Amino acid sequence: LDEAHHWLLGRDSTSFSNLLHNTRYEGHPLFWNILLFYITRITSNPFWMQFLHIIVSTTTVIIFLKKAPFNWIFKGLFIFSYFMFFEYNIISRNYALGLLFIILACSMYNKRKEKFTLLCIYLAIAINTHLIFSVLAFGIYCTLIFESITIDAKNSKLLLSKGSIIIILAILFCLIQVIPPIDTYFFEKNEHLSFIERTRIGFTSFFKGLFTIPDFRTIHFWNSNIIVNINKTVAASLCLIVYIIPYLLFRKNKVSLFFSYTTLFGINIFYYITQLSSTRQFGITFIILIVALWIHYEWYKNNNEFKQYTLSKYIVYFILIVQFLSGIYTYGMDIKYPFASSKRVSEIINENNLAGIAVVTSFCEGTIFSPYLKKKVYFLCGDDYASFCNWNQHFNCDYTNDAILEKLSKLQINKTVLFIANESIFGNLNISEWHNVNKFYKAKPIASLGVSVLKKLSNYQIYLLEFKQ
């Protein structure tokens, strides 16, 4: 849904100014949307979004392999970790762009004094890829300033340098893009939450980011954690314990220690405000650890004392092995099962020569079909044709089956339409047979799809509806 939504923002924005208008409630910097906008000027095939994304993620891996100061075992485990191999690789979103420029910035860290401006340019671009990466990028910048002031006082002038000006301008530019209009309802769902409830997501994020172990007992593994699902008390205890890890790793290096806890604090503020709670967002805490280790290398590479401290290695490699196993597992599951049913739905429609018929859905589940159907879909919530989701519209979309049937009864767009739902809205009807549903229309089930990784986007039912005169 999210992949399709951003693709459709590009495809169905008639001009660049229209793109700016359509994305005003997104809460994201526009870098990824702008790239997709220009791709959709050339093609309407979403394959090219995936192609662009795989180029970005592959470039990130190449730079990491060439520039990262770690051994090849570390590098191999990292590039096949859950977030690198699955979440920020297969799923075409703006996270991969943020990670690319964070890795580019890290590749300049050993030359941070001579290349400070270039390093800040990379951080500035990362800030404008995704709001969560702006926290990480700003954390790196603050660490550079902290290091220059506390360790190398001669370089304290960095605070007033061109690089610092670039960072400040990048943050202001990011805020201009992400702050929504005053009539947004994004924060309304969080208003009733207490302080404790609002801090829960941030408190658990570090554990869920480091120990991303999907619930392999179910096909619907995405955004799950098996330890949380099995025993929430144990998980809560582990969530607290993991905050000791940066201290154990970096207690003799105040620069990496400063970066780790400062950036984790910033990330917790991000979660407190947004209440976003998907696994892909928790992945930023894993990246924080990797960046902290990269910074730490500059301190310990000539320090034999660290090499004798084996506990650090055990902790790091245990986390990397967990991430590696989760990455291999989820990548395999993605090969074995469809992530969502959108592509198969469009194939069935084309196989039955129904591509020219208007498609109707309840709401944003129509968004996942629109890229493959290459046309807009009629949303019952909103009573109009649409493609991407309009997050500012207060649609009451939690319709009962009776409410959906009533909405369909009043539908007056075509004599024949395709209605797609993610449950058997009309009960058990024989496939490919007409059934009189009510006095307004009759229905013929075209196909019933099976489960996919995304539970909410599984079990789709495709109906052909014919309205009576």
Side-chain angles (χ1 to χ4, degrees), residues 93 129 158 169 204 209 288 296 323 359 380 387 410:
R93 291 294 310 279
T129 58
L158 293 180
L169 292 176
T204 62
I288 287 172
H296 190 51
Q323 289 283 338
V359 175
L380 292 178
S387 57
K410 298 177 181 179

Side-chain angles (χ1 to χ4, degrees), residues 299-368:
W299 175 81
Y300 81 74
K301 61 182 178 181
N302 296 317
N303 191 323
N304 292 324
E305 183 179 359
F306 177 86
K307 296 176 182 178
Q308 297 170 3
Y309 188 54
T310 55
L311 178 60
S312 296
K313 295 181 181 180
Y314 291 147
I315 293 172
V316 170
Y317 281 100
F318 179 70
I319 293 170
L320 287 172
I321 289 170
V322 169
Q323 289 283 338
F324 171 81
L325 294 175
S326 295
I328 297 299
Y329 168 77
T330 51
Y331 196 96
M333 289 290 284
D334 188 77
I335 293 173
K336 186 175 181 180
Y337 298 104
F339 191 72
S341 302
S342 52
K343 192 171 186 179
R344 183 58 188 148
V345 166
S346 64
E347 290 171 348
I348 291 172
I349 290 174
N350 289 324
E351 288 166 3
N352 287 273
N353 298 315
L354 301 172
I357 298 177
V359 175
V360 178
T361 61
S362 293
F363 188 38
C364 281
E365 65 268 26
T367 297
I368 71 168

Side-chain angles (χ1 to χ4, degrees), residues 12-110:
D12 292 339
S13 293
T14 55
S15 64
F16 189 80
S17 60
N18 187 231
L19 175 70
L20 299 180
H21 176 78
N22 290 335
T23 55
R24 66 195 185 282
Y25 295 104
E26 289 299 305
H28 287 293
L30 299 182
F31 192 177
W32 181 243
N33 293 106
I34 291 171
L35 292 177
L36 297 183
F37 173 79
Y38 284 108
I39 289 176
T40 55
R41 301 308 95 180
I42 303 171
T43 177
S44 60
N45 188 345
F47 163 80
W48 293 104
M49 172 181 67
Q50 298 171 315
F51 185 75
L52 169 64
H53 192 269
I54 203 70
I55 289 176
V56 172
S57 61
T58 303
T59 302
T60 304
V61 167
I62 292 172
I63 295 170
F64 184 83
L65 291 176
K66 291 182 66 176
K67 298 293 186 177
F70 312 113
N71 62 44
W72 285 100
I73 296 176
F74 185 110
K75 291 179 179 179
L77 292 173
F78 175 72
I79 65 174
F80 291 107
S81 63
Y82 173 83
F83 294 102
M84 288 296 295
F85 196 40
F86 177 72
E87 198 79 45
Y88 300 156
N89 178 40
I90 291 180
I91 303 173
S92 301
R93 291 294 310 279
N94 47 355
Y95 296 85
L97 275 176
L99 186 58
L100 169 61
F101 287 97
I102 290 296
I103 296 298
L104 279 169
C106 288
S107 71
M108 292 286 104
Y109 191 79
N110 62 337

Side-chain angles (χ1 to χ4, degrees), residues 6 9 13 17 49 155 168 209 240 260 313 366 402:
H6 287 276
L9 280 167
S13 293
S17 60
M49 172 181 67
N155 281 311
I168 293 170
L240 181 61
S260 300
K313 295 181 181 180
D402 289 340

